[in-house]
Each structure stands twice: as structure tokens, then as C-alpha cells.
Amino acid sequence: MPASGTETNLIIWGLAATIAAGFILLARYRQHVSANDRKRGSNSAGSRKPSRYGRQNSYGKSAQGPLSDVDRLYRLIPGIQELVKSGGTQYTNSRIPKRSGGFRDLDVPNQATKKVQHALYHKLFSKYRIHESACGFVKGRSIVQNALPHLRHEVVVKLDIREFFPNTSRLRINRYFRSTGWTSKAADLLTSIVCYKQGLPQGAPTSPVISNIVNKTMDWRFAALADAFGAQYTRYADDITFSLKSYDRGKVHRLIQNAGMVCRSYGYKLNNKKKRIIRSHRRQEVTGLVVNEKINLPRSRRRWLRAIQHRLRNGLETTVTNSEYEGWMSLLKMVSPESPLLESHQQLILEGILHRKNQSTLTEEKKHADSQLESETAQSGADVVTTVEIRSEGSDDQAGNTSPTSLDTNSEPEADGSIQLAADKREPQGGSKTHDTIANGVESQAESDGVPDSKSDLFYEDRLIDFVQRLKNAKPYSAEAREIENDFAGAKYATVVELESYKRTFSFKLPAGYQKGRTVSGRISDGTAIQLYFADQLSDPIEAAAFPFKGEVSIEVIQWNSTFKRIEALATGGMFD
């Protein structure tokens, strides 16, 4: 019995020692965890922002850096303040005849309004980047760049947007300004200057560039649609052109139906009367240029120019002025430099038959071509007749009308559009600086005059990439990295993404409407990975899409995932909508 009691005591003492050791280890572990929590809390105190889910943000407040307010507009263009004090913008209505009959209404700004709009174009809007497929009213691009991608294709599909400028809505323009770094007050002021009634005025010098800027997402969707169908895509103002290497009736009609859906999502409608499907056995024209075998003017236009040269050689009157004729020859030199008509033109000059009237004036116009992008419509009626008809001749000739001097039915006869087209047709001499500083038809941001290079610059299109670069350069888990991540969370951007694959979303941490949608993986333009959460109702369109493809999407950042080096964000618009 004593032996048995000793063994029991040893067992009891052993159990007690084990329990005591466990309590000691547990206490030390809790002390260690508590110290780490206090350390992390002291490092991040005051820098953490509350979640922005469930809180509606006003436009523009998610853009990083200081927002540009009205005062900045006044400093940039003092005439704006004078325009506001005088009662705001003013327009007069004028009517010009259409080629197909009837009249086109123009809203021409008065001198004070036009002066401010000119300044806004040169100092502000000309610095915005647009889609590479938009060729109308863009420095360095012309009807030639618009036609070239469609050369030697089996089928050309030409579509036309009805009432393009008036249907570019004021609401869309205002939202765009707010999303690119302007305060609500400044965005409202800019919108009031460039808009008239509920859209863009036909006749204002800012209307063409604004239409290209706000429709950049539409161009991305059209380009993605073209990629999905194996087609080429360009747009010249309201003229949309697709071309395919092979003809498939069902494929072409599906392409047109999808293009109509894209237009309707932006408030536009296609003009069915101007829809053209042109096979290669017929004359294929894109913005007035033949694209069957090589880029060239139509035969009827070349015959007309040959007739003018004949009348000049014989001392007879012509239907155009010398300056208008020379404009046509400049276009021909740009389109087809080996044309025999150019040799005849040079012969007229050498023989002294063709006297260049107002040579000094023409030289001055060439010197200041960039500053004449927007001239008053009412003061350039002859230029409109001469230049705008080029881009529309193809569609009208399809209907059997080949009159060389009549006006277009649906081209934008605004002064800026016509003068831009005339400038596009002028032949660059000696490699002018304007053309040397253009890359891929668009003036680079770094080479633009007066482009700010700081966090407070006027344009915020590249801020997403800049923010990502800051995150990548910051030391992981440092106070700097946490501060950048906190600022990044909740920010809104419009960015181009290349989507690669999708999976189903299962998360209750996302806002209502996103918890059972689709999670799509892809990359932004600098190669950084991005994971987008799309709304529940977009599940079917996403599953029906052909991955991979590229497009522009509006996002609200959830977080920067430092482990996978990727952006995680909600898709709030622009794609699959």
C-alpha cells in the first residue's frame, strides 16, 4: 500500500507541473501578441480610412491629387470670367442646304463665346488623349488615315450616327469632366461653355474635340467588337467604318446589330438610310477615298480635276477658285503622289498659266494652320463646300449622286471641322515640326505645349498607372505603403484593361449586387494584374464573351493586393453595360 501511495503522488505532481507550464506558456504568448498589436496600432494611427462601401461618392472626389476648381479655369483662360459676367455663351442659328435636300441647322457662337472656346481647345482639350481609331478633327490624322486600314478588304461596312453632335448629351460631358479631376462647380462651368441646349452645338470649335474625348470608351467598345469579328474599325466623326477580309452574310449582319447596340448604350442611333455593305467587286469608298486596290480619289473626281486643268490651260472660267483647286491638288498629292494630274499641275505653274493668287496669304495660312482649326462657319462657306464634301462623297455616290461641288448630306459643317479637314489636306513641306512631333497620329503628352507635370495637373488619365507605380516602389508593409494603399482604396478611374478569364464570385464582403456576379482577371496597359468584380446582372454577358479582349471600364478600387501585386476593384460601368 505505501508503494501504491507514492506512485499516485508522483502522478499528481507531474500533472500539476504540466498544467502550470502550459499556463506559463499561454501567458507569455498572449503578452507577445498584445505587444505586436500595440505596435501595429501606433504605426497606423490616424492613417486608416473607413470603408467607402455603401457610401455614394460625388463625381471627381475619387481622383487623386487636388481637384481643379473654377479659380484655376479663370487663371488658365481669363476670358471665361468675363464671359460669365456678360451673361454666358450666346449662339445664333443659321441654315445651310444639305446635298440630299432640306437644310442643316447650325448653332454659331458669337465672338466672345468663340474666343473662349478657341482658348479652351488649344490650352485644354487638345491635350486630352483620344482613341487611335478616331480620325476626324485630330491633328496629324485625316481621311487618309481613316481609309487606310480598310484597304483591299472583301467587304466594307459603312454606318452613320444620326444627329451625332446634338445627341452627345450634356449629362455625359458633365460626368466626364467630373471624373477627370474637376470639381462639380468647375465641371458645370465647362459644360455650360461647350454645350448648347442638351448636347453639343454644330458650329462651335470645341464640339468635334469634345465628341472625340467623351466617346473614347465607345471607340474602345467598337474596337473590341471589331477584334471579336476579325474586322478593322475607324471612325470619322459620325461615320463608322468596319471592313473584313472575307464575306459572311450572317457575320456582317451580327456585326451591324452589335454596333447598333453599342451606339444605343451611349444615347445614339444609327441612320439606316446611310447603311452601306460594299463588296470588293463594287467601288469601295471610305470618307470619299477609293480603297479597292490602293488609296485614291474616285475616278469621277479625277476627271473633274482634269477638266479644270484643261479649262485653265485654255483660259476658260472654272467652277472653283485657284485656292480651292490647289487644295484639291494638295489632297491628291497626299493620297496619290504618283498621279499624272500632279505633273500637269506643275506644268501649269511652270508655264505661268496658273498664277497663285494671294501667295502671301496662303503662306501665312500654312504657317498658322494649327491656330486655324476652328474658324467661323458663316465666314468659310466656300471652304465647307470644298472640303467637307470629300468625306461624304462615297456615301452619296452610292445613291448615284456624283456632283463634284454640292454639299454633304450629313457631315459636320462646323468651321473647326472644315478647316481641320482643309489643314489635313495641305501637304507638309520639309517635314514640319508639327508632323515630326506626332507619334502614331497623336501628339504625345510629353511634347504637348504647356502640359503640367505634377500631382496638380489638369488631366488625370494616367493617375491609375502612376499610383500603381508608387505602390510598387514603396517598401512592402511600410508606413508609406500603408498610406498609399489607404489613399488608393475607394478611388475611381476609367482605364483600359485586357480581360483574360472569369470565375464566379462568392463573397459577402462586396456591396449588394456584386456578391454573386463574376470576377474577371486581366491587366491594365502597363501590365499590372487587375481583378474586377462585375455586378450580378452582368453574369450572362460575361459568360458569353470571347476572352481575351480589350476595352475601357470604369472602376472603384477596393484595395491593392500586395501579396499578388494586383488591383482589386468593382467594375462600375463602361463594359458589358
Side-chain angles (χ1 to χ4, degrees), residues 132-149:
E132 59 185 4
S133 296
C135 300
F137 320 113
V138 182
K139 185 186 295 185
R141 306 184 202 178
S142 67
I143 57 175
V144 178
Q145 282 71 38
N146 187 67
L148 193 60

Side-chain angles (χ1 to χ4, degrees), residues 161-179:
I161 299 177
R162 184 185 302 170
E163 299 293 335
F164 179 60
F165 283 172
N167 287 327
T168 304
S169 72
R170 174 187 290 263
L171 181 60
R172 285 183 59 209
I173 295 168
N174 186 273
R175 285 176 173 173
Y176 182 84
F177 287 143
R178 297 190 185 202
S179 67

Side-chain angles (χ1 to χ4, degrees), residues 32-74:
H32 177 72
V33 170
S34 177
N36 287 340
D37 288 342
R38 286 195 301 271
K39 184 178 180 180
R40 284 195 298 268
S42 62
N43 287 339
S44 60
S47 64
R48 186 171 301 171
K49 291 184 177 181
S51 173
R52 300 173 72 171
Y53 291 138
R55 190 174 76 185
Q56 186 174 2
N57 300 308
S58 60
Y59 285 99
K61 292 195 175 181
S62 59
Q64 297 302 319
L67 298 179
S68 299
D69 204 351
V70 173
D71 292 339
R72 189 161 196 172
L73 278 177
Y74 291 161

